[in-house]
Amino acid sequence: MSTALAPEPAATPHPPLEHDRRPGVTAAMSALVLAVLLAALDQTIVSTALPRIASDLNGFANIAWVSAAYLLASTTVTPLWGKLGDMVGRKRLYLLATALFLVASAACGLAQNLPQLIAARAVQGVGGGGMIVLTFALVGDIVAPAERGRYQGMFGSVYGVASIIGPLLGGVFTDDLSWRWAFLINLPVGAVALLLAARVLPNAARAATARIDYAGATLLASIATALVMVTSFGERWGWGSPRIAGLVFAAVALSALLVPVERHASAPILPPAMLRSRTVVLGSLIGFAANVAMFSVLIYLPTYLQVVHGVSATLSGVHLLPLVGGLVVTQTLAGRQIARPDRVGVILIAGMALNVVGLLLLATIGAGTSTLVLSAYFLVTGAGIGMVPMVVLTAVQNSVPAADIGAASAAVTFARSTGAAFGVAIFGTLLNVGLADRLHDAAHRGIHVPSGIDPTQTDTVDSLPPIARQAVLDAFAHATATGFLWITAFAIVGTLLAAFLTARSRQSN
């Protein structure tokens, strides 16, 4: 059983491109950064454009599928992209995934009705999922284990920044141009990334010595489909509804079936030896917990700022600059320190603990919290978010043989994507429940607030009498803070997992 967080020696089919010896690594990283930026943006850029899309395409009832289709497709294909990259070489698959993403982006921008847009978003998710997981795996090909943390940290910063600016760009495009530009903007940027990648990425083809594990891929895709459906539609359909209960049961049953299927596969999509690795399993769980916290913060803090403090979508991004700054700085510092194996566990524990502190600070925010105090809270929260994701990925990559880097990267990416979906869904439910409870309490105090009011419709809220308007803002702020308090539980579990992983690794050494 593999327990070490330190890099393990493994033969590679080509020498890594050391950053201080091979200048080609800079060009390769530039191409990969552009691709990660596009794929990450498309997970969030549509959020602020959805109301306009629903109006233009006359599809409000099914508008949630525009986001769910991308998330569903990108999550389900992640393990398959990773395994295929191990088998046949990552460059050609990376170029295929990028090309597929660009073609689907054009189809999204030209869609004439909602079914066309949803179908194109699903294809776009297939390409985007491949771009992300293959990018992380390509870093394992291009640079030596001791340098992976530095570059993975850079990609993590891009991912975090994209998660914040995505909704802002979507709003700008929708208001000043057209919602179609949220998709069409991918074409010129993606074309540059594709051409650059074709020119500078190393050719490191691997012989396809075994058949594809279709059974394992189908099971994983089915599990991911059930989980994403639960998180995307749990609140809409009702968490206790037969449909949600059936999906949860299916996910559990299929997960139990996956292990024996992978044990008997000639080329398992998730190698059993990797599943027995403590670093891979615990690292994936830590990544899940970290992304529950991360996406709860990145998605709902801008909404809090816009509703409670009355700032525009663009200004909400400005207010979040301390969070972005903290994230980028700690991503960079953690990436440099991971070259020291003895510090990896310390970084993970400190990062998850700082996540706990940041979430507890956010659990105190209210309608009257000052900008200065919020900036300090955002800085601490961003610093915690930045210390974990890429350190986990690099530690997992360094703990497996070179032949399994793609599968290991896919396992972590799959866990993180699922964590992001869970975080957004759980926080949204907590927010809505808390808001309804607070408004109900306000009604008992004699404050009349129209039933079913949507606090994000600022014009409607501003038209209320002053006492009712303040009640809505206080209720939304309190519900947001309570949501962060509950999400802290995931960060605490992640901290305990990081401590357990570190302790067991020291014992094994």
Side-chain angles (χ1 to χ4, degrees):
M1 180 179 291
S2 172
T3 57
L5 287 173
E8 298 176 359
T12 56
H14 63 280
L17 298 176
E18 297 280 4
H19 78 285
D20 57 345
R21 297 179 185 176
R22 301 285 296 275
V25 74
T26 302
M29 290 300 135
S30 299
L32 297 178
V33 162
L34 284 176
V36 169
L37 178 63
L38 289 178
L41 278 175
D42 264 77
Q43 293 183 346
T44 58
I45 195 172
V46 180
S47 59
T48 46
L50 286 178
R52 186 70 57 82
I53 293 173
S55 175
D56 288 355
L57 300 183
N58 193 26
F60 183 79
N62 296 307
I63 195 64
W65 279 103
V66 175
S67 295
Y70 184 94
L71 179 61
L72 181 62
S74 62
T75 303
T76 55
V77 300
T78 292
L80 186 58
W81 282 116
K83 184 60 179 179
L84 286 175
D86 287 336
M87 294 174 61
V88 302
R90 280 179 264 280
K91 179 178 178 177
R92 67 186 69 177
L93 288 178
Y94 179 83
L95 297 178
L96 174 62
T98 305
L100 188 63
F101 178 85
L102 294 179
V103 171
S105 295
C108 288
L110 299 174
Q112 299 302 305
N113 54 56
L114 198 63
Q116 288 180 10
L117 179 58
I118 292 171
R121 281 286 283 172
V123 177
Q124 193 185 38
V126 172
M131 289 163 65
I132 289 179
V133 69
L134 291 170
T135 290
F136 293 150
L138 277 164
V139 173
D141 287 341
I142 295 172
V143 299
E147 296 295 329
R148 288 172 187 163
R150 184 191 304 271
Y151 293 103
Q152 300 287 21
M154 177 176 62
F155 290 120
S157 298
V158 171
Y159 207 95
V161 171
S163 299
I164 291 177
I165 67 173
L168 308 184
L169 286 176
V172 171
F173 288 144
T174 301
D175 292 338
D176 299 333
L177 295 171
S178 166
W179 59 264
R180 298 181 184 276
W181 278 100
F183 305 109
L184 297 178
I185 191 63
N186 294 335
L187 300 181
V189 180
V192 172
L194 183 64
L195 293 174
L196 188 59
R199 181 178 179 83
V200 303
L201 290 182
N203 288 300
R206 305 174 190 270
T209 58
R211 295 163 54 187
I212 297 174
D213 177 19
Y214 291 108
T218 301
L219 281 173
L220 271 175
S222 300
I223 294 168
T225 299
L227 292 176
V228 173
M229 292 284 286
V230 168
T231 56
S232 298
F233 298 100
E235 185 176 0
R236 181 177 176 182
W237 291 344
W239 291 106
S241 67
R243 280 189 286 187
I244 294 300
L247 288 169
V248 171
F249 176 80
V252 173
L254 292 173
S255 298
L257 184 61
L258 179 64
V259 175
V261 168
E262 292 301 87
R263 283 177 180 170
H264 292 90
S266 59
I269 197 166
L270 289 178
M274 193 180 71
L275 293 175
R276 292 194 299 269
S277 167
R278 186 176 292 112
T279 301
V280 174
V281 173
L282 292 182
S284 297
L285 292 175
I286 293 169
F288 175 92
N291 264 31
V292 169
M294 176 179 176
F295 276 82
S296 297
V297 170
L298 296 180
I299 298 300
Y300 286 101
L301 272 184
T303 305
Y304 160 80
L305 290 169
Q306 293 172 43
V307 171
V308 177
H309 291 271
V311 302
S312 65
T314 303
L315 280 180
S316 68
V318 175
H319 280 270
L320 288 171
L321 285 177
L323 188 147
V324 176
L327 184 153
V328 171
V329 169
T330 54
Q331 283 271 24
T332 303
L333 294 177
R336 292 177 178 176
Q337 293 299 315
I338 199 174
R340 295 276 302 274
D342 59 315
R343 295 184 180 179
V344 174
V346 175
I347 295 172
L348 286 179
I349 295 172
M352 289 307 306
L354 202 54
N355 269 282
V356 173
V357 174
L359 289 168
L360 288 175
L361 291 174
L362 293 179
T364 67
I365 60 177
T369 307
S370 69
T371 300
L372 182 61
V373 171
L374 286 175
S375 296
Y377 290 178
F378 295 167
L379 179 64
V380 173
T381 304
I385 289 174
M387 291 179 70
V388 178
M390 294 305 141
V391 175
V392 167
L393 179 60
T394 305
V396 168
Q397 285 184 342
N398 291 348
S399 72
V400 300
D404 288 335
I405 283 181
S409 301
V412 177
T413 305
F414 180 88
R416 290 172 55 195
S417 297
T418 307
F422 265 89
V424 173
I426 292 171
F427 196 98
T429 299
L430 292 170
L431 179 62
N432 290 331
V433 171
L435 178 64
D437 288 345
R438 295 289 291 187
L439 292 179
H440 183 71
D441 292 342
H444 275 294
R445 298 196 307 270
I447 301 174
H448 174 68
V449 177
S451 60
I453 188 170
D454 181 0
T456 62
Q457 301 297 320
T458 54
D459 291 341
T460 302
V461 175
D462 289 342
S463 67
L464 296 175
I467 189 170
R469 176 181 179 275
Q470 190 60 46
V472 172
L473 298 183
D474 288 338
F476 192 89
H478 183 272
T480 302
T482 302
F484 286 128
L485 181 61
W486 281 102
I487 293 297
T488 304
F490 288 91
I492 292 173
V493 171
T495 306
L496 296 176
L497 290 173
F500 178 73
L501 177 59
T502 303
R504 294 301 298 266
S505 297
R506 288 175 179 171
Q507 291 174 10
S508 66
N509 293 332

